[in-house]
């Protein structure tokens, strides 16, 4: 997960997840401020596609928690949608 980038933060319309090329498959989850899982996706980067976009236009403004797991570990990052 060391080549992972999440941007823009704070986010408004979209959230981009950028992985290093040929990154191993990972599981992405986003939780709202009450801890409810609201988004889940499995991602797999390759040499042709390593940026993934999550549309946020229908999301409420507020704080969210991003959790990303791969075979090597997990990271948690706060996300602010405005």
């Amino acid at each position: 997960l060391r080549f992972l980038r999440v941007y823009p933060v704070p986010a408004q319309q979209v959230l981009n997840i950028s992985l290093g090329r040929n990154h191993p498959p990972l599981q992405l989850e986003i939780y709202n401020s009450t801890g409810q899982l609201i988004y889940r996706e499995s991602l797999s980067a390759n040499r042709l596609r390593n940026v993934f976009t999550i549309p946020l236009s229908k999301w409420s403004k507020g704080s969210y928690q991003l959790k990303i797991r791969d075979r090597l570990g997990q990271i948690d990052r706060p996300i602010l949608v405005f």
Side-chain angles (χ1 to χ4, degrees):
L1 295 173
R2 61 178 210 198
F3 295 110
L4 175 76
R5 271 187 61 216
V6 178
Y7 61 94
V9 176
Q12 187 171 16
Q13 295 295 318
V14 297
L15 183 69
N16 296 301
I17 311 290
S18 175
L19 306 172
R21 289 185 174 194
N22 298 318
H23 191 282
L26 56 84
Q27 181 74 32
L28 178 143
E29 297 175 343
I30 299 177
Y31 296 83
N32 65 15
S33 59
T34 64
Q36 180 182 12
L37 177 65
I38 59 166
Y39 185 87
R40 177 184 284 157
E41 186 171 356
S42 296
L43 303 178
S44 184
N46 59 47
R47 65 183 183 85
L48 300 176
R49 181 170 185 223
N50 67 336
V51 177
F52 301 88
T53 301
I54 301 169
L56 302 176
S57 60
K58 296 181 181 177
W59 291 30
S60 298
K61 295 178 182 177
S63 297
Y64 296 85
Q65 189 68 28
L66 170 68
K67 295 185 182 222
I68 300 176
R69 285 190 294 271
D70 70 5
R71 60 183 166 80
L72 301 175
Q74 174 178 308
I75 63 163
D76 295 353
R77 291 210 180 149
I79 300 170
L80 181 61
V81 176
F82 68 98

